[in-house]
Amino acid sequence: MSTLHSIQARTGQTLGAPLDASTPAQVDAAAVAAGAAFPAWAASTGAQRATLLRALADALEGDREGLVALADEETALGPVRLNGELDRTTFQLRRFATIAETGVPFALTDDPAVAGAPPVGHPAMVRQQVPLGPVAMFSASNFPFAFSVLGGDTASALAAGCPVVIKAHNGHLLLSNRVFGLIQQVLTAQGLPAGLVGMVQGGGRDVGVRLVRHPAIAAGAFTGSTQGGAALQAEASARPRPIPFYGELGSINPVVALPAVLAAKGADLATLMAGSITLGCGQFCTSPGVLVLVDDPASDAFVQQLQAALAPLNPHPMLTPAMRAAFDRGVEHLVQAGASPLLHEPTTANAPRPFLAQVDAATFIASEALREEVFGPSQVIVRAADVAQAVQVLEAVGGSLTVTLWGAETESDEARALVRAAMNIAGRVLFAGVPTGVAVTAAQQHGGPWPSSTQPMTTSVGDAALTRFLRPVALQDAPAWLTARAGRPV
């Protein structure tokens, strides 16, 4: 049996006792246990699901001090950020509890029989939703609470009636095990099977691939790198019985800033942008990796303002040494691809310095390497000759979680062209502020065309995240006992 070690983010030293990696037999057992728990949980009421989700939120809050301290050691994200993230996690759990309690997973369309011959006449039809089955959930590195063991994927899957088997992230193993211990205590207290929420762990690809391949698993949910997500999606599709794989992957989140708004409030926007680039050491899926400027004196001035705002900022250490090494490689690839550095201070310290570079639009459009995500505090400024070329830059991006448009408040041909291009490539289009920060709300869309996600019609954040784990079924001339269940699966 191989062993795993948690790493203290600030020092790079091992933290705590070694942990055992899950064996193939243990991965299989977790999937089988989830499959055994599925029928009863799929048939549970919204009130039963809500009771579990609220108890899980209470358990997190009851162990807040210990959880945040441990998360800070493993991630260096700081207690302020981590307390806020824990609050978001409990908010998500309770929000999905309310969604389940109010009957959203059991919503149905009742289409009574119509007498006569087709096509006007038809039998009685009821269209409802059923849970997919056990979900393989892959924790993210950069959100040790909100996109991890009890994050939004777990909360929405449980609310939909699906058991979950979690693949813990190696960046916060001790925290994951502590949270998983809380889950098991809650399940025991409520008389629910331990297999309703399982967890496996391990380095490399073997554990995750085996989990996705297991025939008891009915769907996958992933937040992480494009490379890792694409590999798991391929595994999900190659199964004898393929399953849906909901991956939220890499994104460069372009921001287009028009000259008029920069002339009016460039200094303030530069400060705002610098904070977004370095927030969480740039380890956000919505970090603004590309800034598109239209040639103009106001744009020239903004580049200087952004440099001045970024230069004194000192991000905290990255989550893992591997991520730090990947950031350094990514920065060098940008330079090799033609980006001219404006701020570039290589350092051997655990915390990187912000990176800012500039390139002309034609070079950016021609070079795929310049459009790859660099996970960390970096941004490439793309200089476009006009709005038409800025639209071409967006089209070259292909797919992004977000696009931000500064200065499109007044309707015009150019504004419409930018909005149309932004909506074509992104799941969320902003007209103010910065893309970092994703609200958990009814209208949220966190997912976009490839490579930002594997299923652009779905979201991993917000109320609609629950629908990923439900499948529609039509019941024709159903007996009264079945329709009396009001959408709750048998």
Side-chain angles (χ1 to χ4, degrees):
M1 180 179 292
S2 61
T3 56
L4 307 169
H5 296 273
S6 178
I7 302 296
Q8 192 173 49
R10 291 183 179 86
T11 66
Q13 302 299 310
T14 57
L15 178 66
L19 300 167
D20 292 330
S22 299
T23 65
Q26 288 171 331
V27 175
D28 292 347
V32 169
F38 174 53
W41 191 246
S44 63
T45 65
Q48 289 170 319
R49 299 176 193 181
T51 297
L52 173 60
L53 291 167
R54 290 186 179 121
L56 293 172
D58 291 344
L60 286 178
E61 289 180 339
D63 195 22
R64 175 188 293 270
E65 185 175 351
L67 292 173
V68 168
L70 183 55
D72 186 42
E73 285 199 88
E74 289 191 297
T75 68
L77 293 175
V80 174
R81 148 77 190 271
L82 290 166
N83 270 291
E85 191 184 326
L86 192 148
D87 289 340
R88 169 182 168 161
T89 305
T90 58
F91 174 81
Q92 289 178 150
L93 288 163
R94 292 183 176 121
R95 188 176 183 94
F96 279 111
T98 300
I99 289 171
E101 197 170 48
T102 54
V104 172
F106 316 113
L108 55 81
T109 301
D110 187 5
D111 193 357
V114 175
V120 175
H122 63 78
M125 303 285 283
V126 174
R127 179 184 171 96
Q128 66 178 64
Q129 304 172 103
V130 296
L132 289 178
V135 176
M137 198 286 286
F138 291 81
S139 295
S141 63
N142 53 340
F143 283 86
F145 291 115
F147 282 84
S148 188
V149 176
L150 276 179
D153 286 336
T154 298
S156 56
L158 289 173
C162 297
V164 179
V165 181
I166 300 150
K167 165 60 170 66
H169 196 280
N170 290 344
H172 34 80
L173 287 169
L174 296 179
L175 176 67
S176 296
N177 277 270
R178 183 160 177 158
V179 172
F180 182 64
L182 295 175
I183 295 171
Q184 291 302 306
Q185 291 174 22
V186 171
L187 293 177
T188 299
Q190 295 193 6
L192 295 169
L196 183 58
V197 182
M199 193 180 84
V200 297
Q201 57 193 14
R205 300 175 63 247
D206 292 349
V207 168
V209 168
R210 189 173 187 91
L211 181 60
V212 166
R213 286 177 176 173
H214 197 281
I217 296 299
F222 173 90
T223 298
S225 69
T226 300
Q227 181 181 15
L232 289 170
Q233 182 189 34
E235 293 289 348
S237 299
R239 289 172 32 135
R241 177 186 168 198
I243 58 172
F245 185 81
Y246 303 106
E248 187 257 273
L249 313 178
S251 184
I252 58 175
N253 305 296
V255 177
V256 180
L258 298 181
V261 72
L262 297 181
K265 47 184 178 180
D268 291 341
L269 290 174
T271 300
L272 181 67
M273 178 66 80
S276 183
I277 293 169
T278 57
L279 181 67
C281 198
Q283 297 168 122
F284 279 71
C285 54
T286 53
S287 185
V290 168
L291 171 64
V292 186
L293 300 179
V294 175
D295 286 340
D296 187 271
S299 298
D300 298 334
F302 185 75
V303 172
Q304 300 300 317
Q305 292 166 327
L306 182 56
Q307 283 183 259
L310 265 179
L313 299 184
N314 292 295
H316 59 68
M318 297 193 76
L319 292 162
T320 68
M323 289 183 184
R324 173 58 206 275
F327 172 76
D328 289 340
R329 289 194 302 270
V331 165
E332 289 308 313
H333 288 164
L334 291 176
V335 174
Q336 292 167 7
S340 301
L342 300 175
L343 280 178
H344 188 198
E345 302 175 33
T347 173
T348 58
N350 289 338
R353 296 284 297 135
F355 173 78
L356 184 67
Q358 186 168 246
V359 69
D360 65 89
T363 301
F364 180 86
I365 292 169
S367 175
E368 185 177 350
L370 289 171
R371 302 192 296 274
E372 293 179 359
E373 180 189 31
V374 176
F375 199 61
S378 70
Q379 186 176 81
V380 174
I381 299 172
V382 180
R383 302 301 297 261
D386 50 29
V387 169
Q389 193 173 42
V391 167
Q392 293 173 1
V393 169
L394 293 181
E395 292 170 345
V397 169
S400 185
L401 292 172
T402 73
V403 172
T404 304
L405 303 176
W406 286 348
E409 289 79 11
T410 301
E411 184 177 7
S412 65
D413 290 343
E414 290 184 337
R416 285 193 296 272
L418 282 171
V419 171
R420 183 167 53 248
M423 293 179 70
N424 282 343
I425 71 164
R428 178 164 57 109
V429 180
L430 297 80
F431 296 90
V434 286
T436 41
V438 184
V440 181
T441 187
Q444 186 58 267
Q445 175 60 31
H446 191 60
W450 181 269
S452 64
S453 65
T454 61
Q455 302 283 346
M457 71 293 295
T458 68
T459 180
S460 63
V461 179
D463 298 0
L466 176 143
T467 62
R468 296 174 296 172
F469 308 118
L470 295 169
R471 178 176 62 83
V473 174
L475 305 177
Q476 183 170 320
D477 292 327
W481 70 265
L482 185 53
T483 57
R485 293 183 67 83
R488 185 160 56 91
V490 296

